[in-house]
Amino acid sequence: MAVTYIDAIHQALAELLAEDDAVFLMGEDIGGSFGGAFKATKGLAEKFPGRVINTPISEDAIVGAGIGAALAGMKPILEMQFADFGTLGQNQMANNAGAHFYRTGVPVNVTLRMPCGGTPGGGPFHSQSLEALFAHYPGLHVFTPATVADAYFMLKEAVRIPDPVVFMEHKFLYRWLKADTWQEENPLPVGKARIARVGKHATVVAFSAMVPEALKAAELLAQQGYDIEVIDLRSVKPLDYDTVLASLSRTARLLVVSEDFPYGGVAAEVVATVASMGLHLLDAPPLRLTSHDSPIPYHPDLWREHRPSADSIAAAAKYLISY
Amino acid sequence: MLTARAFDTKVSALYKAGKIFGGVFLGRGHEAISACSAVFLTKGQDVYNPFIREQAGRCAWGDSVLESARCYFGSREGLMRGRDGNVHWGNPQEGVPAPISHLGAMASVVAGMMLAKRLRGEQGCVGVACAGDGTTSVGALHEAANFIAVQQLPVVMLITNNRYAYSTPNAQEFAAELTERGRGYGYEVHRCDGTDFFATLQTMQTAVAAARAGKPQWVVADTLRLCGHGEHDDASYIPAELKAQYADRDPLDVARRQLIDAGWLTEEEHLIWEAECRDEVQRCVAQAQKEAGPDPAAEDWSAVSWRP
């Protein structure tokens, strides 16, 4: 039976609650039988009484209370209803949780689950990808799983790691992405990028929902005789430049794809680092493909044009190869 | 209270002599409220979240002024090791979260610490979250206040109203009584004259006991800040008439008179206490000043405890 990305998240949450008494969940609409806006916590409140805590609509207080609970020895997993509203908890996450280990030597074991990314009709405030905004601050790890197995494995790792982790789970992947199982025999450690497709003509670096788009683009280009390597970053902080640079030493061409806005984003960060560490590896200028520098539109026709797609990735990669 | 005043006086002098990095923030006028905020708490069991003018409370909690001095000087022996300074120190493992500058942010941290204790089945503990009149205008405080009330956490929200948020008077910060804010969220509400040591002591004793019993408490304690926001600030915006109203209400003087009137203290003993407190401050400041600061060459610049 096929399992989805959100099944993997639900399974990881259930196992975390069962395995460790210090784990509890906190967020909006997650208590009772409702199970949260996306049903990631469905059934957990009944199964783990008192450990799935419903909160008022108070993102700052959710994260602040999570930090307090972590300082008192717990391992809270916090849910933002949409990543977009994570901006309201960002002060606590960045200035309190993120700064804490450096200031005090005491790590803050909070995991912030952020349902992120675009879906048709999501509009400007239910679609954003805020990886760069959180990765900007010191002290936070930012995970961006792109597979069912990573959604499961990396969420479990997020709680095992004693630092604050921002766990960006893509809403489009929730029910669209399926696999036979969430279990992987030898999962790559967190911090390692995955070569999702081996190729030789160009390297496309992607993360989260842009990984399946990049793989589709690679299929399109394969029909035209181009062999594209696709790297799934898995976590944008830490970011595995070794794997990226090793790939570029074979392909000599880089395209970074991100669903986020262009200014100061993860794609800009990867291009800047590759330019400073590996310019000699490149036969063409390092490119990035991102969303437009405009708010995310509501109408599905506008939305599909706003963000990178398999077609636009294929076009950019083709330009890169022909440069 | 005497130790806190002696420490503040010392730190102010050091600031004016150019011996302190960054700002200096004193608790003059706050000492009674501050001392009472922590004196009913037990280290290791309870949670205490000091605000910026809480040296007296830190002493009452049981922490030495040595840690405060180390924080100002950035001593590598201190809890913050020069990585954070002035009043921003804490010891979360003992129940004091390290405050950040964003006002109101720590109240929900206290809430979370109490929530953790409840989840573990720890009974009879209490958390005191200190805030000021200005902080009651920050959204984070309101989210936390509401969260605490909804969860019925054993927390005392202590609002010290010192009349001025930096230079902004009460009338430009809020239009309703500060007590109404607590009442609106469903707290049991108390108000006391924060320059009156006995009254403040009684109010906090009642509030802490009621919170321990499981009911969130909201305390407003009024005073006047008898100094600037920081030592860089001459507080010229506070009208002379208002200062005159507080001329005989310095909380240290009020407390001394109350203790002497009650027959628990003599003038002579008070002088001895003052001298002892000054000596302790002198010793601690001298030690912190002697200790080495952080070594930039040895700094690891690591903001995370885990690496792949």
Side-chain angles (χ1 to χ4, degrees):
Chain A
M1 196 186 89
V3 294
T4 63
Y5 185 90
I6 200 164
D7 291 338
I9 289 166
H10 181 277
Q11 178 67 18
L13 292 172
E15 288 180 21
L16 285 159
L17 283 162
E19 288 161 4
D20 190 343
D21 286 342
V23 172
F24 73 100
L25 315 185
M26 191 156 59
E28 294 157 14
D29 300 301
I30 69 169
S33 58
F34 187 67
F38 296 99
K39 313 297 174 207
T41 58
K42 184 86 179 161
L44 297 179
E46 291 98 331
K47 202 166 171 197
F48 302 97
R51 293 171 64 198
V52 181
I53 298 173
N54 226 17
T55 69
I57 305 171
S58 300
E59 285 80 7
D60 186 288
I62 292 168
V63 181
I67 293 166
L71 292 178
M74 303 297 282
K75 298 174 187 171
I77 304 172
L78 313 171
E79 178 175 314
M80 295 286 104
Q81 198 148 73
F82 286 80
D84 308 60
F85 309 133
T87 53
L88 296 166
Q90 191 178 17
N91 178 54
Q92 292 282 9
M93 202 61 189
N95 289 307
N96 222 343
H100 201 269
F101 176 72
Y102 183 75
R103 293 167 68 229
T104 65
V106 179
V108 182
N109 193 344
V110 294
T111 301
L112 185 67
R113 290 183 42 236
M114 301 259 275
C116 69
T119 52
F125 313 115
H126 290 75
S127 302
Q128 293 174 90
S129 303
L130 305 180
E131 299 89 13
L133 217 50
F134 283 81
H136 175 74
Y137 285 94
L140 305 176
H141 304 295
V142 182
F143 296 179
T144 50
T147 66
V148 171
D150 270 348
Y152 165 82
F153 170 69
M154 293 179 78
L155 182 51
K156 295 200 78 175
E157 287 292 284
V159 177
R160 189 186 62 77
I161 292 166
D163 298 317
V165 175
V166 179
F167 190 81
M168 304 298 281
E169 41 190 68
H170 202 289
K171 300 192 295 292
F172 184 77
L173 302 183
Y174 269 164
R175 290 180 170 79
W176 177 83
L177 194 65
K178 297 183 179 77
D180 291 335
T181 172
W182 49 68
Q183 298 281 6
E184 214 171 13
E185 260 193 35
N186 292 303
L188 268 185
V190 173
K192 282 271 171 227
R194 178 176 64 99
I195 298 177
R197 186 183 199 282
V198 178
K200 61 184 179 199
H201 293 124
T203 298
V204 175
V205 170
F207 57 96
S208 194
M210 288 298 108
V211 173
E213 293 293 337
L215 290 170
K216 267 190 272 177
E219 289 301 319
L220 293 173
L221 289 170
Q223 292 160 17
Q224 300 171 36
Y226 300 111
D227 202 358
I228 304 296
E229 182 142 308
V230 176
I231 293 181
D232 170 9
L233 288 177
R234 300 174 74 233
S235 62
V236 300
K237 198 178 188 183
L239 203 154
D240 178 10
Y241 285 109
D242 290 349
T243 296
V244 174
L245 291 167
S247 172
L248 291 173
S249 72
R250 297 188 294 273
T251 67
R253 285 177 162 80
L254 173 67
L255 170 66
V256 189
V257 184
S258 162
E259 190 179 331
D260 198 3
F261 305 123
Y263 193 98
V266 171
E269 181 69 27
V270 173
V271 166
T273 302
V274 166
S276 57
M277 293 172 74
L279 197 62
H280 59 287
L281 301 173
L282 300 179
D283 289 343
L287 295 187
R288 64 186 159 139
L289 185 65
T290 65
S291 284
H292 288 286
D293 188 19
S294 68
I296 298 164
Y298 158 72
H299 195 283
D301 292 348
L302 282 177
W303 171 72
R304 279 187 205 98
E305 276 304 303
H306 180 266
R307 70 174 203 156
S309 63
D311 287 340
S312 67
I313 295 168
K318 212 168 158 183
Y319 166 80
L320 184 68
I321 293 165
S322 61
Y323 182 86
Chain B
M1 289 164 68
L2 290 172
T3 309
R5 180 64 63 90
F7 181 73
D8 279 1
T9 304
K10 182 73 187 172
V11 175
S12 171
L14 288 164
Y15 173 80
K16 284 165 186 159
K19 303 280 190 197
I20 305 273
F21 317 105
V24 159
F25 304 91
L26 309 185
R28 285 178 180 273
H30 286 237
E31 289 92 342
I33 301 166
S34 185
C36 297
S37 71
V39 75
F40 300 107
L41 306 182
T42 303
K43 207 192 249 192
Q45 174 195 327
D46 297 324
V47 167
Y48 181 51
N49 159 229
F51 195 46
I52 66 169
R53 308 188 191 284
E54 239 67 78
Q55 186 53 54
R58 289 182 182 278
C59 292
W61 170 258
D63 281 337
S64 166
V65 286
L66 177 59
E67 273 309 326
S68 299
R70 282 171 163 165
C71 199
Y72 269 117
F73 287 112
S75 161
R76 67 169 71 168
E77 309 296 324
L79 287 162
M80 311 308 278
R81 301 157 294 155
R83 292 177 168 190
D84 203 346
N86 61 63
V87 293
H88 282 182
W89 67 275
N91 196 345
Q93 280 139 335
E94 287 188 353
V96 181
I100 66 168
S101 297
H102 300 68
L103 299 181
M106 299 311 291
S108 58
V109 174
V110 172
M113 293 172 88
M114 301 320 293
L115 188 65
K117 288 173 183 288
R118 176 191 286 173
L119 285 165
R120 280 201 300 263
E122 292 174 33
Q123 308 262 321
C125 42
V126 69
V128 172
C130 299
D133 45 291
T135 304
T136 68
S137 300
V138 180
L141 187 93
H142 289 263
E143 288 195 11
N146 183 53
F147 181 89
I148 288 163
V150 168
Q151 283 290 335
Q152 288 289 291
L153 292 167
V155 172
V156 179
M157 294 284 291
L158 170 58
I159 313 296
T160 298
N161 179 13
N162 72 10
R163 309 296 187 98
Y164 287 85
Y166 205 150
S167 76
T168 300
N170 279 181
Q172 289 170 38
E173 282 287 347
F174 42 84
E177 289 292 329
L178 289 179
T179 44
E180 295 312 303
R181 302 196 154 185
R183 234 184 292 280
Y185 288 121
Y187 284 71
E188 287 180 3
V189 175
H190 313 259
R191 184 162 207 161
C192 64
D193 174 357
T195 67
D196 181 335
F197 177 53
F198 277 8
T200 308
L201 204 54
Q202 203 156 34
T203 302
M204 281 307 290
Q205 187 177 32
T206 305
V208 168
R212 262 191 221 289
K215 187 95 183 90
Q217 306 290 305
W218 184 274
V219 177
V220 178
D222 300 287
T223 186
L224 181 70
R225 183 194 340 121
L226 303 177
C227 54
H229 168 64
E231 283 304 90
H232 56 276
D233 168 28
D234 65 4
S236 54
Y237 43 81
I238 302 181
E241 311 82 71
L242 184 57
K243 286 180 182 164
Q245 284 173 33
Y246 280 82
D248 63 345
R249 290 171 65 189
D250 182 322
L252 264 67
D253 296 336
V254 176
R256 188 189 72 243
R257 288 198 299 269
Q258 287 176 325
L259 291 170
I260 289 172
D261 290 348
W264 298 344
L265 181 70
T266 65
E267 290 283 4
E268 295 70 36
E269 284 168 333
H270 183 260
L271 287 171
I272 293 168
W273 282 6
E274 266 187 331
E276 285 173 354
C277 292
R278 269 200 309 271
D279 286 351
E280 188 198 345
V281 164
Q282 194 62 40
R283 265 197 315 276
C284 291
V285 168
Q287 183 180 331
Q289 232 172 340
K290 268 196 309 230
E291 289 171 354
D295 176 4
E299 177 65 42
D300 64 11
W301 305 114
S302 181
V304 289
S305 73
W306 171 87
R307 296 265 176 207

